[in-house]
Coordinates of all heavy atoms in Angstrom, one line a residue:
M820 N -33.8 -50.8 -18.0 CA -34.7 -51.4 -19.0 C -34.8 -52.9 -18.7 O -33.8 -53.6 -18.5 CB -34.1 -51.2 -20.3 CG -34.8 -52.1 -21.4 SD -34.0 -52.1 -23.0 CE -33.6 -50.4 -23.3
E821 N -35.9 -53.3 -18.5 CA -36.2 -54.9 -18.2 C -36.5 -55.4 -19.7 O -37.3 -54.9 -20.4 CB -37.3 -55.1 -17.3 CG -37.0 -54.7 -15.9 CD -38.1 -55.2 -14.9 OE1 -38.8 -56.2 -15.2 OE2 -38.3 -54.5 -14.1
L822 N -35.8 -56.6 -19.8 CA -36.0 -57.3 -21.1 C -36.9 -58.5 -20.8 O -37.0 -59.0 -19.7 CB -34.7 -57.9 -21.5 CG -33.5 -56.9 -21.9 CD1 -32.3 -57.5 -22.3 CD2 -34.1 -56.0 -23.1
D823 N -37.7 -58.8 -21.9 CA -38.7 -59.8 -21.8 C -38.0 -61.2 -21.6 O -37.2 -61.6 -22.3 CB -39.4 -59.9 -23.2 CG -40.4 -61.0 -23.3 OD1 -40.7 -61.6 -22.4 OD2 -40.9 -61.3 -24.4
P824 N -38.4 -61.8 -20.4 CA -37.8 -63.1 -20.1 C -37.9 -64.1 -21.2 O -37.0 -65.0 -21.3 CB -38.6 -63.5 -18.9 CG -39.0 -62.3 -18.3 CD -39.3 -61.4 -19.4
A825 N -39.0 -64.2 -21.9 CA -39.1 -65.1 -22.9 C -38.0 -65.0 -24.0 O -37.6 -65.9 -24.6 CB -40.5 -65.1 -23.6
Q826 N -37.7 -63.7 -24.4 CA -36.7 -63.4 -25.3 C -35.4 -63.7 -24.8 O -34.4 -63.9 -25.6 CB -36.9 -62.0 -25.9 CG -38.0 -61.7 -26.7 CD -38.1 -60.3 -27.1 OE1 -37.5 -59.4 -26.5 NE2 -38.8 -60.1 -28.2
M827 N -35.2 -63.7 -23.5 CA -33.9 -63.9 -22.9 C -33.6 -65.4 -22.9 O -32.4 -65.7 -22.4 CB -33.8 -63.3 -21.5 CG -33.9 -61.7 -21.5 SD -32.3 -61.1 -22.2 CE -31.2 -61.5 -21.0
Q828 N -34.4 -66.3 -23.2 CA -34.2 -67.7 -23.1 C -33.0 -68.2 -23.8 O -32.2 -69.1 -23.3 CB -35.4 -68.5 -23.5 CG -36.5 -68.5 -22.3 CD -36.0 -68.9 -21.0 OE1 -35.5 -70.0 -20.8 NE2 -36.3 -68.0 -20.0
A829 N -32.8 -67.6 -25.0 CA -31.6 -68.1 -25.8 C -30.3 -67.6 -25.1 O -29.4 -68.3 -25.1 CB -31.7 -67.3 -27.3
V830 N -30.4 -66.5 -24.4 CA -29.2 -65.9 -23.7 C -29.0 -66.8 -22.5 O -27.8 -67.3 -22.2 CB -29.3 -64.5 -23.3 CG1 -28.2 -64.1 -22.4 CG2 -29.5 -63.6 -24.6
V831 N -30.0 -67.2 -21.8 CA -29.8 -68.1 -20.7 C -29.3 -69.5 -21.1 O -28.4 -70.0 -20.4 CB -31.3 -68.4 -20.0 CG1 -31.2 -69.4 -19.0 CG2 -31.7 -67.0 -19.3
K832 N -29.7 -70.0 -22.2 CA -29.3 -71.3 -22.8 C -27.7 -71.2 -23.0 O -27.0 -72.0 -22.7 CB -30.0 -71.6 -23.9 CG -29.7 -73.0 -24.5 CD -30.6 -73.3 -25.8 CE -30.2 -74.7 -26.3 NZ -31.1 -75.0 -27.4
R833 N -27.4 -70.0 -23.7 CA -26.0 -69.8 -24.0 C -25.0 -69.7 -22.7 O -24.0 -70.3 -22.6 CB -25.8 -68.5 -24.9 CG -24.4 -68.3 -25.4 CD -24.3 -67.0 -26.1 NE -25.2 -67.0 -27.2 CZ -24.9 -67.4 -28.5 NH1 -23.8 -67.9 -28.7 NH2 -25.9 -67.2 -29.4
L834 N -25.7 -69.1 -21.7 CA -24.9 -68.8 -20.4 C -24.7 -70.2 -19.7 O -23.7 -70.5 -19.0 CB -25.5 -67.8 -19.6 CG -25.3 -66.4 -20.2 CD1 -26.1 -65.4 -19.3 CD2 -23.9 -66.0 -20.2
R835 N -25.7 -71.1 -19.7 CA -25.7 -72.3 -19.1 C -24.7 -73.2 -19.7 O -23.9 -74.0 -19.2 CB -27.1 -73.0 -19.1 CG -28.1 -72.4 -18.2 CD -29.2 -73.3 -17.8 NE -30.3 -72.5 -17.1 CZ -30.3 -72.0 -16.0 NH1 -29.2 -72.2 -15.2 NH2 -31.3 -71.4 -15.4
R836 N -24.6 -73.2 -21.0 CA -23.6 -73.9 -21.8 C -22.3 -73.3 -21.4 O -21.3 -74.2 -21.2 CB -23.8 -73.7 -23.3 CG -23.0 -74.7 -24.1 CD -23.6 -74.7 -25.7 NE -24.7 -73.7 -25.7 CZ -25.4 -73.4 -26.7 NH1 -25.1 -74.0 -27.8 NH2 -26.3 -72.5 -26.8
A837 N -22.1 -72.1 -21.3 CA -20.7 -71.6 -20.9 C -20.4 -72.0 -19.4 O -19.2 -72.3 -19.1 CB -20.8 -70.0 -21.0
Q838 N -21.4 -72.1 -18.6 CA -21.2 -72.6 -17.2 C -20.7 -74.0 -17.3 O -19.8 -74.4 -16.5 CB -22.5 -72.5 -16.5 CG -22.5 -72.8 -15.1 CD -23.8 -72.7 -14.4 OE1 -24.9 -72.9 -15.0 NE2 -23.8 -72.4 -13.0
G839 N -21.2 -74.8 -18.2 CA -20.7 -76.2 -18.3 C -19.3 -76.3 -18.8 O -18.5 -77.0 -18.4
Q840 N -18.9 -75.3 -19.7 CA -17.7 -75.3 -20.3 C -16.7 -74.9 -19.2 O -15.6 -75.4 -19.2 CB -17.6 -74.2 -21.4 CG -18.2 -74.7 -22.7 CD -18.1 -73.5 -23.7 OE1 -18.7 -72.5 -23.6 NE2 -17.3 -73.9 -24.7
I841 N -17.0 -74.0 -18.3 CA -16.2 -73.5 -17.2 C -15.9 -74.7 -16.3 O -14.7 -74.9 -15.8 CB -16.7 -72.3 -16.4 CG1 -16.7 -71.1 -17.4 CG2 -16.0 -72.1 -15.2 CD1 -17.4 -69.9 -16.9
G842 N -17.0 -75.4 -16.0 CA -16.8 -76.7 -15.1 C -15.8 -77.7 -15.8 O -14.9 -78.3 -15.1
G843 N -15.9 -77.8 -17.2 CA -15.0 -78.7 -17.9 C -13.6 -78.2 -17.8 O -12.6 -79.0 -17.7
I844 N -13.5 -76.9 -17.9 CA -12.1 -76.4 -17.8 C -11.4 -76.6 -16.4 O -10.2 -76.9 -16.4 CB -12.1 -74.7 -18.1 CG1 -12.5 -74.5 -19.6 CG2 -10.7 -74.1 -17.8 CD1 -12.9 -73.1 -20.0
L845 N -12.2 -76.4 -15.4 CA -11.8 -76.5 -14.1 C -11.3 -78.1 -14.0 O -10.2 -78.3 -13.4 CB -12.9 -76.2 -13.0 CG -13.1 -74.8 -12.7 CD1 -14.4 -74.6 -12.0 CD2 -11.9 -74.2 -12.2
K846 N -12.1 -78.9 -14.5 CA -11.7 -80.4 -14.6 C -10.4 -80.6 -15.3 O -9.5 -81.4 -14.8 CB -12.9 -81.2 -15.0 CG -12.7 -82.7 -15.1 CD -13.1 -83.3 -13.8 CE -13.1 -84.9 -13.9 NZ -11.9 -85.4 -13.4
M847 N -10.3 -80.0 -16.4 CA -9.1 -80.2 -17.2 C -7.9 -79.6 -16.4 O -6.8 -80.4 -16.4 CB -9.2 -79.3 -18.4 CG -10.2 -79.7 -19.5 SD -10.4 -78.7 -20.8 CE -8.8 -79.0 -21.7
I848 N -7.9 -78.5 -15.7 CA -6.9 -78.1 -14.8 C -6.5 -79.1 -13.8 O -5.4 -79.4 -13.5 CB -7.1 -76.6 -14.3 CG1 -7.3 -75.6 -15.4 CG2 -6.1 -76.3 -13.3 CD1 -7.8 -74.3 -15.1
E849 N -7.6 -79.5 -13.0 CA -7.4 -80.4 -12.0 C -6.7 -81.8 -12.5 O -6.0 -82.4 -11.8 CB -8.7 -80.8 -11.3 CG -9.3 -79.6 -10.5 CD -10.7 -79.8 -10.1 OE1 -11.3 -80.8 -10.5 OE2 -11.2 -79.0 -9.4
D850 N -7.1 -82.2 -13.7 CA -6.5 -83.4 -14.3 C -5.1 -83.1 -14.9 O -4.5 -84.2 -15.4 CB -7.5 -84.0 -15.4 CG -8.7 -84.5 -14.8 OD1 -8.8 -84.7 -13.6 OD2 -9.7 -84.6 -15.5
G851 N -4.6 -82.0 -14.9 CA -3.3 -81.6 -15.4 C -3.2 -81.8 -16.9 O -2.2 -82.0 -17.5
R852 N -4.4 -81.4 -17.6 CA -4.4 -81.4 -19.0 C -3.4 -80.3 -19.6 O -2.9 -79.5 -19.0 CB -5.8 -81.2 -19.6 CG -6.8 -82.3 -19.1 CD -6.8 -83.3 -20.1 NE -7.1 -82.9 -21.5 CZ -8.4 -82.9 -22.0 NH1 -9.4 -83.1 -21.3 NH2 -8.4 -82.5 -23.3
D853 N -3.2 -80.5 -21.0 CA -2.2 -79.8 -21.7 C -2.7 -78.3 -21.8 O -3.9 -78.0 -21.9 CB -2.2 -80.3 -23.1 CG -1.2 -79.5 -24.0 OD1 0.0 -79.6 -23.6 OD2 -1.6 -78.9 -25.0
C854 N -1.8 -77.4 -21.5 CA -2.1 -75.9 -21.6 C -2.7 -75.5 -22.8 O -3.7 -74.6 -22.7 CB -0.6 -75.2 -21.5 SG -0.7 -73.5 -21.7
Q855 N -2.4 -76.0 -23.9 CA -3.0 -75.6 -25.2 C -4.5 -75.9 -25.2 O -5.3 -75.2 -25.6 CB -2.3 -76.2 -26.4 CG -2.9 -75.7 -27.7 CD -2.1 -76.3 -28.9 OE1 -1.1 -77.0 -28.7 NE2 -2.5 -76.0 -30.1
D856 N -4.8 -77.2 -24.7 CA -6.2 -77.5 -24.6 C -7.0 -76.6 -23.7 O -8.2 -76.2 -24.1 CB -6.3 -78.9 -24.2 CG -5.8 -80.1 -25.1 OD1 -5.6 -79.6 -26.3 OD2 -5.4 -81.1 -24.7
I857 N -6.4 -76.3 -22.5 CA -7.1 -75.4 -21.6 C -7.4 -74.1 -22.2 O -8.5 -73.5 -22.1 CB -6.3 -75.4 -20.3 CG1 -6.3 -76.7 -19.6 CG2 -6.8 -74.2 -19.4 CD1 -5.3 -76.8 -18.5
V858 N -6.3 -73.5 -22.8 CA -6.5 -72.1 -23.4 C -7.5 -72.2 -24.5 O -8.3 -71.2 -24.7 CB -5.0 -71.6 -23.8 CG1 -5.2 -70.3 -24.7 CG2 -4.2 -71.4 -22.6
T859 N -7.5 -73.2 -25.3 CA -8.6 -73.4 -26.3 C -10.0 -73.3 -25.7 O -10.8 -72.6 -26.3 CB -8.4 -74.6 -27.2 OG1 -7.0 -74.6 -27.7 CG2 -9.4 -74.8 -28.2
Q860 N -10.1 -74.0 -24.6 CA -11.4 -74.0 -24.1 C -11.8 -72.6 -23.4 O -12.9 -72.1 -23.3 CB -11.5 -75.1 -23.0 CG -11.7 -76.5 -23.6 CD -12.8 -76.6 -24.7 OE1 -13.9 -76.3 -24.3 NE2 -12.4 -77.1 -25.8
L861 N -10.7 -72.1 -22.8 CA -11.0 -70.6 -22.3 C -11.5 -69.7 -23.3 O -12.3 -68.9 -23.1 CB -9.7 -70.2 -21.6 CG -9.4 -70.8 -20.2 CD1 -8.0 -70.4 -19.8 CD2 -10.4 -70.3 -19.1
A862 N -10.7 -69.7 -24.4 CA -11.1 -68.9 -25.6 C -12.5 -69.2 -26.0 O -13.3 -68.2 -26.3 CB -10.2 -69.1 -26.8
A863 N -13.0 -70.4 -26.1 CA -14.3 -70.7 -26.5 C -15.4 -70.2 -25.5 O -16.4 -69.6 -26.0 CB -14.5 -72.3 -26.6
V864 N -15.1 -70.3 -24.3 CA -16.1 -69.8 -23.2 C -16.1 -68.3 -23.2 O -17.1 -67.7 -23.0 CB -15.8 -70.4 -21.8 CG1 -14.7 -69.8 -21.1 CG2 -17.0 -70.3 -20.9
S865 N -14.9 -67.7 -23.5 CA -14.9 -66.3 -23.5 C -15.7 -65.7 -24.7 O -16.5 -64.8 -24.6 CB -13.5 -65.8 -23.7 OG -13.4 -64.4 -23.8
K866 N -15.7 -66.4 -25.8 CA -16.5 -66.0 -26.9 C -17.9 -66.3 -26.8 O -18.8 -65.4 -27.1 CB -16.0 -66.9 -28.2 CG -16.7 -66.5 -29.5 CD -16.2 -67.3 -30.6 CE -16.7 -66.8 -31.9 NZ -16.1 -67.5 -33.2
A867 N -18.3 -67.3 -26.0 CA -19.7 -67.6 -25.7 C -20.3 -66.5 -24.8 O -21.4 -66.0 -24.9 CB -19.8 -69.0 -25.0
L868 N -19.5 -66.0 -23.8 CA -19.8 -64.9 -23.0 C -20.1 -63.6 -23.6 O -21.0 -62.9 -23.5 CB -18.9 -64.8 -21.8 CG -19.0 -65.9 -20.8 CD1 -17.7 -65.7 -19.8 CD2 -20.2 -66.0 -20.0
D869 N -19.1 -63.3 -24.6 CA -19.2 -62.2 -25.4 C -20.5 -62.1 -26.2 O -21.2 -61.1 -26.3 CB -18.0 -62.0 -26.3 CG -16.7 -61.6 -25.7 OD1 -16.8 -61.1 -24.4 OD2 -15.7 -61.8 -26.2
R870 N -20.8 -63.3 -26.9 CA -22.0 -63.4 -27.7 C -23.3 -63.2 -26.8 O -24.2 -62.7 -27.3 CB -22.0 -64.8 -28.4 CG -21.0 -64.8 -29.6 CD -21.1 -66.0 -30.3 NE -20.2 -66.1 -31.4 CZ -20.5 -66.7 -32.6 NH1 -21.5 -67.4 -32.7 NH2 -19.5 -66.6 -33.6
A871 N -23.2 -63.8 -25.6 CA -24.4 -63.6 -24.7 C -24.6 -62.1 -24.4 O -25.7 -61.6 -24.5 CB -24.2 -64.3 -23.3
G872 N -23.4 -61.4 -24.2 CA -23.5 -60.0 -23.9 C -24.1 -59.2 -25.1 O -24.9 -58.3 -24.9
F873 N -23.5 -59.5 -26.3 CA -24.0 -58.9 -27.5 C -25.6 -59.2 -27.7 O -26.3 -58.4 -28.3 CB -23.2 -59.3 -28.7 CG -21.8 -58.6 -28.7 CD1 -20.7 -59.4 -28.8 CD2 -21.7 -57.3 -28.5 CE1 -19.4 -59.0 -28.8 CE2 -20.4 -56.7 -28.5 CZ -19.2 -57.6 -28.7
A874 N -25.9 -60.4 -27.4 CA -27.4 -60.8 -27.6 C -28.2 -59.9 -26.6 O -29.3 -59.5 -27.2 CB -27.6 -62.3 -27.3
V875 N -27.8 -59.7 -25.4 CA -28.6 -58.9 -24.5 C -28.7 -57.5 -25.0 O -29.8 -56.9 -25.0 CB -27.9 -58.9 -23.2 CG1 -28.6 -57.8 -22.2 CG2 -28.0 -60.3 -22.5
I876 N -27.6 -57.0 -25.5 CA -27.5 -55.6 -26.0 C -28.5 -55.5 -27.3 O -29.4 -54.5 -27.4 CB -26.1 -55.1 -26.4 CG1 -25.4 -54.9 -25.1 CG2 -26.3 -53.8 -27.2 CD1 -24.0 -54.6 -25.2
A877 N -28.5 -56.5 -28.2 CA -29.4 -56.5 -29.4 C -30.8 -56.6 -29.0 O -31.6 -55.9 -29.6 CB -29.0 -57.7 -30.2
L878 N -31.1 -57.3 -28.0 CA -32.5 -57.5 -27.5 C -32.9 -56.1 -27.0 O -34.0 -55.6 -27.2 CB -32.7 -58.5 -26.5 CG -32.7 -60.0 -26.9 CD1 -32.7 -60.9 -25.8 CD2 -33.8 -60.2 -27.8
G879 N -32.0 -55.5 -26.2 CA -32.3 -54.2 -25.8 C -32.6 -53.1 -26.9 O -33.5 -52.2 -26.8
L880 N -31.8 -53.1 -27.8 CA -31.9 -52.2 -28.9 C -33.2 -52.4 -29.7 O -33.9 -51.5 -30.0 CB -30.7 -52.4 -29.9 CG -29.4 -51.8 -29.5 CD1 -28.4 -52.2 -30.4 CD2 -29.5 -50.3 -29.3
K881 N -33.6 -53.7 -29.9 CA -34.9 -54.0 -30.5 C -36.0 -53.6 -29.7 O -37.0 -52.9 -30.2 CB -35.0 -55.6 -30.7 CG -34.1 -56.0 -31.8 CD -34.3 -57.7 -31.9 CE -33.3 -58.3 -32.8 NZ -33.4 -59.7 -32.8
Q882 N -35.9 -53.7 -28.4 CA -37.0 -53.2 -27.6 C -37.1 -51.7 -27.6 O -38.2 -51.2 -27.7 CB -36.7 -53.7 -26.1 CG -37.9 -53.5 -25.1 CD -37.6 -54.1 -23.8 OE1 -37.3 -55.3 -23.8 NE2 -38.0 -53.3 -22.8
C883 N -36.0 -51.1 -27.6 CA -35.9 -49.5 -27.8 C -36.6 -49.0 -29.0 O -37.3 -48.0 -29.0 CB -34.6 -48.9 -27.6 SG -33.9 -49.0 -25.9
I884 N -36.4 -49.9 -30.1 CA -36.9 -49.4 -31.4 C -38.4 -49.7 -31.4 O -39.1 -48.8 -32.0 CB -36.2 -50.2 -32.6 CG1 -34.8 -49.6 -32.6 CG2 -36.8 -50.0 -33.9 CD1 -33.9 -50.5 -33.5
T885 N -38.7 -50.8 -31.0 CA -40.2 -51.1 -31.1 C -41.1 -50.5 -30.0 O -42.2 -50.2 -30.3 CB -40.4 -52.7 -31.0 OG1 -39.9 -53.2 -29.8 CG2 -39.8 -53.4 -32.1
D886 N -40.6 -50.1 -28.9 CA -41.3 -49.5 -27.8 C -40.4 -48.4 -27.2 O -40.1 -48.6 -26.0 CB -41.8 -50.5 -26.8 CG -42.9 -50.0 -25.9 OD1 -43.3 -48.8 -26.2 OD2 -43.3 -50.7 -25.0
P887 N -40.2 -47.3 -27.9 CA -39.3 -46.3 -27.2 C -39.8 -45.7 -26.0 O -38.9 -45.3 -25.1 CB -39.2 -45.2 -28.4 CG -40.2 -45.6 -29.4 CD -40.7 -47.0 -29.1
E888 N -41.1 -45.7 -25.8 CA -41.6 -45.0 -24.5 C -41.3 -46.0 -23.3 O -41.2 -45.4 -22.2 CB -43.2 -44.9 -24.7 CG -43.5 -44.0 -25.9 CD -43.0 -42.6 -25.7 OE1 -43.0 -42.1 -24.5 OE2 -42.6 -42.0 -26.7
A889 N -41.2 -47.3 -23.4 CA -41.0 -48.2 -22.3 C -39.6 -48.1 -21.8 O -39.2 -48.5 -20.6 CB -41.5 -49.5 -22.7
G890 N -38.6 -47.8 -22.8 CA -37.3 -47.9 -22.4 C -36.7 -46.8 -21.6 O -37.0 -45.6 -21.9
S891 N -35.9 -47.0 -20.7 CA -35.2 -45.9 -19.9 C -33.8 -45.6 -20.4 O -33.1 -44.8 -19.8 CB -35.3 -46.2 -18.5 OG -34.6 -47.4 -18.1
M892 N -33.4 -46.4 -21.4 CA -31.9 -46.3 -21.8 C -31.9 -45.4 -23.0 O -32.7 -45.3 -23.8 CB -31.5 -47.6 -22.4 CG -31.5 -48.8 -21.3 SD -30.0 -48.6 -20.1 CE -28.7 -49.1 -21.2
D893 N -30.9 -44.5 -23.0 CA -30.7 -43.6 -24.2 C -29.5 -44.2 -25.0 O -28.9 -45.1 -24.6 CB -30.3 -42.1 -23.6 CG -29.2 -42.1 -22.8 OD1 -28.4 -43.1 -22.7 OD2 -29.0 -41.1 -22.1
V894 N -29.3 -43.5 -26.1 CA -28.3 -44.0 -27.1 C -26.9 -44.1 -26.4 O -26.2 -45.1 -26.6 CB -28.3 -43.2 -28.3 CG1 -27.2 -43.6 -29.2 CG2 -29.6 -43.3 -29.0
E895 N -26.6 -43.0 -25.6 CA -25.4 -43.0 -25.0 C -25.1 -44.2 -24.0 O -24.0 -44.8 -24.0 CB -25.0 -41.7 -24.3 CG -23.8 -41.5 -23.7 CD -23.5 -40.2 -23.1 OE1 -24.1 -39.2 -23.5 OE2 -22.9 -40.1 -21.9
S896 N -26.1 -44.4 -23.3 CA -26.0 -45.6 -22.3 C -25.9 -47.0 -23.1 O -25.1 -47.8 -22.6 CB -27.2 -45.7 -21.5 OG -27.3 -44.5 -20.6
M897 N -26.6 -47.1 -24.2 CA -26.5 -48.4 -24.9 C -25.2 -48.4 -25.6 O -24.5 -49.6 -25.6 CB -27.6 -48.4 -26.1 CG -29.0 -48.6 -25.4 SD -29.3 -50.1 -24.6 CE -29.4 -51.3 -25.9
E898 N -24.7 -47.3 -26.0 CA -23.3 -47.4 -26.6 C -22.2 -47.7 -25.5 O -21.3 -48.5 -25.9 CB -22.9 -46.0 -27.2 CG -21.6 -45.9 -27.8 CD -21.3 -44.5 -28.4 OE1 -22.2 -43.8 -28.5 OE2 -20.1 -44.3 -28.8
K899 N -22.4 -47.2 -24.4 CA -21.4 -47.6 -23.3 C -21.5 -49.0 -22.9 O -20.4 -49.7 -22.8 CB -21.7 -46.7 -22.0 CG -20.8 -46.8 -21.0 CD -21.2 -45.8 -19.9 CE -20.1 -46.0 -18.7 NZ -20.4 -45.1 -17.6
L900 N -22.7 -49.6 -23.0 CA -22.8 -51.1 -22.8 C -22.1 -51.9 -23.8 O -21.4 -52.8 -23.5 CB -24.3 -51.4 -22.6 CG -25.0 -51.2 -21.3 CD1 -26.5 -51.5 -21.5 CD2 -24.4 -52.0 -20.2
F901 N -22.4 -51.5 -25.0 CA -21.8 -52.2 -26.1 C -20.2 -52.1 -26.1 O -19.6 -53.1 -26.2 CB -22.3 -51.6 -27.4 CG -21.8 -52.2 -28.7 CD1 -22.3 -53.4 -29.1 CD2 -20.8 -51.6 -29.4 CE1 -21.9 -54.1 -30.3 CE2 -20.3 -52.3 -30.5 CZ -20.8 -53.5 -31.0
L902 N -19.7 -51.0 -25.8 CA -18.3 -50.9 -25.7 C -17.7 -51.5 -24.6 O -16.4 -51.8 -24.5 CB -17.9 -49.2 -25.8 CG -18.1 -48.5 -27.1 CD1 -17.8 -47.0 -26.9 CD2 -17.3 -49.2 -28.2
S903 N -18.5 -51.7 -23.5 CA -17.9 -52.5 -22.4 C -17.5 -53.9 -22.7 O -16.7 -54.6 -22.0 CB -18.9 -52.4 -21.1 OG -20.1 -53.2 -21.4
L904 N -18.1 -54.5 -23.8 CA -17.8 -55.8 -24.2 C -16.6 -55.8 -25.1 O -16.1 -57.0 -25.4 CB -19.1 -56.4 -24.9 CG -20.3 -56.6 -24.0 CD1 -21.5 -57.0 -24.8 CD2 -20.0 -57.6 -22.9
A905 N -16.3 -54.7 -25.6 CA -15.1 -54.7 -26.5 C -13.8 -54.9 -25.9 O -13.6 -54.7 -24.8 CB -15.1 -53.4 -27.4

């Protein structure tokens, strides 16, 4: 199933922010920053990636509901995708 690129812009924005966070984490490690600070940032980027994944699944579900003929995903496939993020 292809998702509408216009609707994916929020996901792209979230992923670009996560990309920046990862760069910041790398810099923190290179600078010898405190373990707790690094782990806090890792947790934040992990949460951002999870939210991006859930947003993609939500967009897919909306598309399946509004245009069931266009989608090639069945309920079992969508469930498998959702659970892969858990």
Side-chain angles (χ1 to χ4, degrees):
M820 164 191 320
E821 284 188 38
L822 297 174
D823 179 12
Q826 291 182 332
M827 290 292 289
Q828 286 305 307
V830 174
V831 170
K832 185 176 179 180
R833 186 182 301 270
L834 290 173
R835 290 202 194 285
R836 196 172 355 187
Q838 184 179 29
Q840 284 178 295
I841 291 171
I844 293 167
L845 290 169
K846 178 90 170 100
M847 291 172 73
I848 292 170
E849 291 167 351
D850 292 346
R852 294 277 302 271
D853 183 63
C854 173
Q855 185 174 356
D856 294 339
I857 293 168
V858 171
T859 299
Q860 289 305 309
L861 284 169
V864 77
S865 178
K866 187 173 182 177
L868 291 174
D869 287 345
R870 286 183 175 208
F873 289 128
V875 170
I876 291 171
L878 288 171
L880 287 172
K881 286 179 191 174
Q882 186 170 318
C883 284
I884 291 169
T885 58
D886 191 6
E888 300 299 319
S891 61
M892 299 280 290
D893 57 16
V894 173
E895 185 177 320
S896 297
M897 290 299 279
E898 181 179 350
K899 187 175 181 178
L900 279 175
F901 182 79
L902 291 175
S903 73
L904 294 174

